[in-house]
């Protein structure tokens, strides 16, 4: 867009490429590769006050074999970067969080249609595609990712997915689905992100922003911050850090850097994604050059940007006006009932 500087861009991530790159780089720097599946973790009852090791139980898999071999590993410290269904979080009693289901289809579309998405990423709002989030069509180099998500009505996710395909219409017509993905997305921090010498990062900790639903940057950033602080505390392997030390370094620095961003985006999602009237207001506000600038700056640099107080005051007035207009013109939201499943937590 016009608000982006020549050296600025919003990149689209393909995890199958990024993940391999990160693994290969870790191996080059000396990380030990274990192709395994963690099944359980033994946590000593006194792990907060002693240096007794943790025991990781896992199945190790060899190339060419579908059966794993049961093994154990004793470790002094654990950083849980194992996603929303984190076994580390369960083992350390990190507490539960509410979550969204994100559903995405990778669709290979004809080359002439793919040209439209070379410099374009689309967001769709409306209760047809999600009652509390947005639908999207994002370019993935030689194909597109088409998806949606919801917290409040997860059982209807395939209904919403059909709606986003219908909304995209001719732009993805003739495409072939090459991959289907569905993942839980945390809605807030875990109640406890550090216990003893166990620390959580990324989705395991709950580091996904509201409104945009982005998690990959914060996963990478929190992983690096946690590792750097723990290495400093260990003083070249001479000692093990305590829970209090990890909290006062890693957690304190992370929350100071990104806590305001999570808070602001949480408010924006509650205001603008909650009903069709608010969504209409959101779409109208996006025509504002100032809104575009603030949005892009915040997204690119992952922090709530310091803005012009006069423009902010003007934006407040425009927001109120757009909300009034949106509520008066929008169609009523579809009614749904999900009283039982909506109480599920991870």
């Amino acid at each position: 867009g016009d608000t982006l500087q020549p050296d600025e861009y919003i990149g689209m991530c393909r995890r199958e490429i990024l993940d391999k790159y990160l693994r290969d780089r870790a191996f080059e720097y000396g990380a030990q590769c274990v192709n395994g599946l963690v099944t359980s973790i033994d946590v000593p009852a006194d792990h907060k006050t002693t240096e007794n090791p943790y025991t990781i139980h896992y199945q190790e898999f060899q190339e060419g074999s579908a059966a794993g071999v049961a093994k154990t590993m004793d470790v002094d410290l654990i950083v849980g970067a194992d996603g929303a269904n984190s076994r580390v979080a369960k083992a350390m009693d990190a507490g539960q969080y509410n979550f969204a289901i994100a559903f995405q289809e990778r669709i290979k579309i004809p080359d002439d249609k793919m040209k439209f998405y070379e410099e374009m990423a689309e967001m769709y709002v409306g209760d047809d595609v999600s009652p509390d989030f947005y639908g999207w069509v994002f370019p993935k180099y030689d194909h597109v990712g088409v998806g949606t998500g919801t917290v409040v009505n997860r059982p209807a996710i395939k209904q919403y997915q059909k709606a986003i395909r219908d909304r995209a219409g001719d732009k993805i017509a003739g495409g072939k689905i090459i991959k289907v993905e569905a993942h839980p997305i945390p809605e807030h921090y875990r109640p406890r992100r550090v216990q003893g010498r166990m620390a959580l990062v990324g989705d395991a900790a709950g580091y996904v922003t509201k409104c945009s639903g982005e998690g990959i940057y914060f996963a990478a950033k929190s992983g690096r911050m946690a590792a750097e602080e723990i290495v400093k505390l260990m003083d070249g392997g001479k000692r093990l850090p305590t829970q209090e030390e990890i909290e006062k370094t890693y957690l304190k620095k992370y929350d100071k850097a990104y806590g305001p961003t999570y808070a602001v985006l949480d408010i924006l999602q509650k205001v603008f994604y909650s009903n069709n009237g608010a969504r209409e207001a959101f779409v109208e506000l996006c025509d504002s050059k100032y809104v575009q600038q603030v949005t892009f700056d915040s997204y690119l640099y992952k922090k709530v940007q310091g803005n012009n107080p006069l423009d902010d005051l003007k934006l407040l007035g425009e927001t109120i006006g757009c909300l009034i207009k949106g509520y008066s013109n929008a169609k009523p939201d579809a009614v749904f009932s999900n009283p039982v499943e909506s109480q599920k937590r991870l």
Side-chain angles (χ1 to χ4, degrees), residues 1-12 119 292-302 305:
D2 294 336
T3 58
L4 292 174
Q5 299 301 313
D7 61 342
E8 294 178 327
Y9 63 92
I10 295 178
M12 295 292 155
E119 300 285 342
Q292 294 174 21
Q293 184 69 61
V294 171
T295 300
F296 280 125
D297 284 351
S298 298
Y299 188 82
L300 285 170
Y301 303 110
K302 313 305 176 188
Q305 298 298 302

Side-chain angles (χ1 to χ4, degrees), residues 192-240:
R192 295 171 291 280
R193 290 170 284 158
V194 176
Q195 292 277 69
R197 287 165 281 117
M198 305 173 77
L200 299 177
V201 299
D203 283 16
Y207 295 154
V208 175
T209 57
K210 296 287 190 72
C211 210
S212 68
E214 186 194 1
I216 189 61
Y217 172 86
F218 299 100
K221 189 66 175 180
S222 62
R224 169 169 284 187
M225 290 178 73
E228 289 177 345
E229 296 304 325
I230 288 169
V231 167
K232 289 178 186 176
L233 291 168
M234 292 181 70
D235 190 21
K238 298 174 185 176
R239 61 186 297 274
L240 293 178

